[in-house]
């Protein structure tokens, strides 16, 4: 716990802010808590405000139940519940909520809003998702990979699809823990170049590799983990038809997965569109561990909450 003691009171906004040792220590704590070996009610008397500018199933339920299991109290705050949705400044909101709460989880649009909230809040702020990053999801993903593969370093993860917030956190998280990562996206939908460069720097430190390609077969070759996400994320519904056309050939199906290792596991952050970004045979097949992955959102987030908020 010595490594984690440095995280007390710290924000959890993106994985690039954390060392390899801190990420691995959080994953160890998450595994312990899942196994019932963690601290008992470490957040008793603590309150977490949960701000949702975007709707959610897994983020809301996993944080809410996780906070209750830790002995604390979660408080759901939709955009309609806050004056923030009617023009109050992020600065004022941060200062007021800091007087009432012990921590804030926010699921927002622009990442800069979360950064601003964290800058002015006097309590830890946890990023439940922004348009740029989804760090809590990647923590759950790494916990799941570790459970099924016994390790992280030296494995290869292939992500097929839109270079979105999930792809960005996969890039950073994988590079930080020494996994080889390959991202395959259609032309024009690649991940942000600055985030790719940052991931390459972390990968060089760990002796792993980062590959960005427009060829799904190249990406999944010899992969231990195959990952995908919906082609049109929340807020991109108007682009759905165009994206379906542009992403032709990027479906994760049996033919594509035949190029991976025979014991690969399949991940999806959910919700999924079966028959679109992934075939039913893969998402419902023997390689799929998507429900372990979904459950692990709660365990990974409990570790984050304890590290950042416990006394």
């Amino acid at each position: 716990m010595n490594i984690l003691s440095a995280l007390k009171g710290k924000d959890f906004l993106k994985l690039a802010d954390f060392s390899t040792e801190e990420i691995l220590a959080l994953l160890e704590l998450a595994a312990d808590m899942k196994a019932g070996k963690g601290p008992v009610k470490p957040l008793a008397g603590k309150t977490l405000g949960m701000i949702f500018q975007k709707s959610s199933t897994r983020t809301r339920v996993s944080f809410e139940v996780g906070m209750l299991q830790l002995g604390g109290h979660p408080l759901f705050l939709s955009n309609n519940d806050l004056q923030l949705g009617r023009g109050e400044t992020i600065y004022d909101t941060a200062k007021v909520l800091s007087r009432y709460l012990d921590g804030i989880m926010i699921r927002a649009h622009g990442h800069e809003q979360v950064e601003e909230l964290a800058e002015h809040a006097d309590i830890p702020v946890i990023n439940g998702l922004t348009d740029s990053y989804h760090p809590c999801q990647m923590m759950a993903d790494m916990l799941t990979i570790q459970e099924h593969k016994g390790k992280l370093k030296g494995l290869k993860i292939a992500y097929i699809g839109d270079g979105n917030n999930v792809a960005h956190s996969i890039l950073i998280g994988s590079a930080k823990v020494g996994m080889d990562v390959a991202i395959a996206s259609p032309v024009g939908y690649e991940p942000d170049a600055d985030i790719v460069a940052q991931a390459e720097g972390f990968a060089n430190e760990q002796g792993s590799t980062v590959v960005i390609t427009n060829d799904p077969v190249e990406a999944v070759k010899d992969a231990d983990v195959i990952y995908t996400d919906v082609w049109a994320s929340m807020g991109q519904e108007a682009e759905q038809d165009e994206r379906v056309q542009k992403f032709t050939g990027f479906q994760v199906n049996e033919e594509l997965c035949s190029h991976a290792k025979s014991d690969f596991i399949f991940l999806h952050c959910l919700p999924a569109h079966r028959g679109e970004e992934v075939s039913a045979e893969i998402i419902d097949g023997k390689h799929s561990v998507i429900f372990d992955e979904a459950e692990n959102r709660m365990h990974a987030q409990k570790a984050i909450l304890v590290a950042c908020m416990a006394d």
Side-chain angles (χ1 to χ4, degrees):
M1 291 294 290
N2 289 336
I3 294 174
L4 294 181
S5 63
L7 303 186
K8 182 180 177 181
K10 186 173 180 178
D11 302 313
F12 192 85
L13 306 185
K14 58 184 187 297
L15 293 175
D17 298 334
F18 296 84
S19 69
T20 298
E21 292 73 22
E22 288 170 336
I23 291 171
L24 294 177
L26 281 170
L27 290 172
E28 183 179 358
L29 176 58
D32 284 346
M33 298 188 80
K34 184 175 182 178
K37 300 175 184 177
V40 178
K41 307 294 184 184
L43 298 185
K46 303 275 188 178
T47 303
L48 177 73
M50 307 190 307
I51 300 174
F52 284 85
Q53 295 180 350
K54 290 185 173 184
S55 60
S56 166
T57 298
R58 279 149 291 275
T59 298
R60 178 176 178 180
V61 176
S62 59
F63 266 107
E64 195 160 327
V65 174
M67 191 66 182
L68 288 168
Q69 290 182 359
L70 294 170
H73 181 78
L75 183 64
F76 175 78
L77 301 167
S78 75
N79 221 32
N80 294 330
D81 296 323
L82 297 172
Q83 296 296 334
L84 188 63
R86 298 179 58 218
E88 184 171 40
T89 66
I90 292 175
Y91 176 90
D92 288 353
T93 299
K95 292 302 182 186
V96 169
L97 292 182
S98 295
R99 302 294 182 100
Y100 300 141
L101 304 170
D102 299 288
I104 299 170
M105 188 287 299
I106 180 168
R107 184 175 169 93
H109 295 280
H111 189 74
E112 65 281 353
Q113 294 176 296
V114 176
E115 294 276 1
E116 186 179 354
L117 182 70
E119 178 185 355
H120 299 302
D122 302 314
I123 54 178
V125 174
I126 297 170
N127 175 10
L129 174 145
T130 65
D131 290 343
S132 298
Y133 300 101
H134 202 350
C136 291
Q137 178 66 57
M138 185 54 185
M139 290 298 294
D141 298 337
M142 290 188 287
L143 180 60
T144 308
I145 295 166
Q146 210 168 46
E147 286 177 347
H148 286 270
K149 292 296 182 181
K151 64 176 184 176
L152 294 172
K153 191 174 180 66
L155 297 178
K156 177 181 177 181
I157 181 170
Y159 172 89
I160 311 300
D162 188 24
N164 58 13
N165 49 4
V166 172
H168 291 161
S169 288
I170 289 172
L171 276 165
I172 299 297
S174 300
K176 280 276 188 177
V177 300
M179 294 176 67
D180 295 329
V181 56
I183 307 284
S185 305
V187 174
Y189 295 90
E190 298 90 349
D192 181 89
D194 290 338
I195 294 175
V196 172
Q198 194 175 35
E200 288 173 338
F202 295 139
N204 287 337
E205 295 172 4
Q206 295 294 319
S208 57
T209 61
V210 173
V211 173
I212 307 299
T213 180
N214 303 119
D215 181 359
V217 173
E218 178 187 357
V220 303
K221 182 174 174 56
D222 297 325
D224 299 281
V225 183
I226 299 178
Y227 200 128
T228 192
D229 190 9
V230 293
W231 291 340
S233 298
M234 194 178 302
Q236 299 172 333
E237 289 82 2
E239 303 174 29
Q240 174 69 24
D241 292 343
E242 177 185 357
R243 283 173 174 260
V244 168
Q245 293 180 353
K246 294 288 181 66
F247 282 73
T248 298
F250 284 79
Q251 184 188 76
V252 175
N253 51 36
E254 290 181 327
E255 194 284 322
L256 179 62
C257 292
S258 68
H259 300 280
K261 290 183 179 176
S262 59
D263 62 346
F264 79 92
I265 59 172
F266 173 75
L267 299 178
H268 194 304
C269 55
L270 302 178
H273 293 164
R274 285 169 169 77
E276 194 169 292
E277 74 273 5
V278 58
S279 67
E281 290 77 14
I282 293 299
I283 196 170
D284 297 320
K286 65 180 182 179
H287 297 279
S288 179
V289 294
I290 60 169
F291 297 119
D292 291 345
E293 178 189 12
E295 178 189 342
N296 282 339
R297 284 290 302 277
M298 183 174 67
H299 304 300
Q301 288 159 190
K302 284 169 67 175
I304 295 164
L305 288 166
V306 170
C308 296
M309 290 176 58
D311 293 328

